[in-house]
Amino acid sequence: ALRYDAMADEIEVKENLYVEDSQIMALAKDPEIYVKIMADMFVYRDAIEASHGAGYFQVLHIGNTYNLYKKVVKKYYPAKKAQNSFESDVLATYVDRPIYYLVSQEGNFQEFKSSKNKRLKLFQNKQSEIKKLVKSGKLDLTKEEDLLRAVKYYDAISSAQ
């Protein structure tokens, strides 16, 4: 039995589902090992640059020229008690923040920034073709499925050359 723990950024393993949780072990962090949990594939990558740290990345697309990786960063916000009767208590929460990376076959990571225009700049010399795709397909590059579609198209036109 496998699961990805985003807070600890590790893959947890136990022999089967019926074994006690105290027997959970962490999988070795090795770039040679990949993990497939249902339809999700995770790979471990070492920190190559300061722009991305070492850790597990979810593989969203494997292409001939470019891949799309997703890193889920979890942030914990502790509970807050109300200071007075005009405020209300706030429960503790976890917030997921996905970070997407365009990864070349050579292993160069380029982070997709949060704005649409900054995301378009990552498509370099094919920017005009991607803009046409975004406009004709009414894509929102801040949504994962639309970004995935744009990366697949970019990979296809980049590998065709």
Side-chain angles (χ1 to χ4, degrees):
L2 301 167
R3 72 176 175 194
Y4 174 64
D5 180 355
M7 278 300 286
D9 194 26
E10 63 186 17
I11 302 291
E12 295 177 341
V13 182
K14 62 181 186 177
E15 197 165 318
N16 61 50
L17 293 174
Y18 307 107
V19 174
E20 292 184 31
D21 284 350
S22 61
Q23 296 182 356
I24 293 175
M25 297 177 289
L27 188 67
K29 293 183 177 183
D30 184 350
E32 298 294 318
I33 299 173
Y34 72 91
V35 176
K36 193 158 186 175
I37 303 171
M38 305 294 276
D40 299 331
M41 185 165 67
F42 294 88
V43 294
Y44 180 82
R45 294 293 178 251
D46 291 323
I48 298 169
E49 316 161 350
S51 65
H52 82 87
Y56 282 98
F57 295 85
Q58 183 180 355
V59 179
L60 299 178
H61 171 69
I62 297 175
N64 294 325
T65 311
Y66 293 101
N67 303 329
L68 180 63
Y69 287 3
K70 176 171 103 173
K71 176 86 170 165
V72 177
V73 178
K74 281 198 178 284
K75 182 148 172 104
Y76 174 73
Y77 293 96
K80 290 183 182 177
K81 283 293 227 183
Q83 300 291 325
N84 54 46
S85 62
F86 293 110
E87 296 178 358
S88 57
D89 292 340
V90 177
L91 298 175
T93 58
Y94 286 97
V95 176
D96 290 346
R97 189 178 137 246
I99 302 171
Y100 299 97
Y101 293 93
L102 184 66
V103 183
S104 68
Q105 292 301 333
E106 295 81 36
N108 297 325
F109 280 67
Q110 295 178 305
E111 181 182 337
F112 281 103
K113 301 296 182 188
S114 57
S115 77
K116 176 184 164 185
N117 287 333
K118 288 181 182 176
R119 287 185 178 208
L120 278 172
K121 287 182 182 178
L122 243 57
F123 295 112
Q124 301 160 353
N125 58 348
K126 304 289 185 195
Q127 212 170 350
S128 61
E129 289 97 326
I130 299 298
K131 280 183 182 178
K132 288 177 188 172
L133 174 73
V134 168
K135 190 172 183 176
S136 66
K138 297 181 181 161
L139 302 181
D140 179 0
L141 294 182
T142 59
K143 293 182 180 174
E144 183 175 306
E145 56 275 357
D146 291 347
L147 181 62
L148 178 59
R149 189 168 156 202
V151 168
K152 285 180 178 179
Y153 180 72
Y154 179 60
D155 179 56
I157 61 177
S158 295
S159 61
Q161 293 179 342

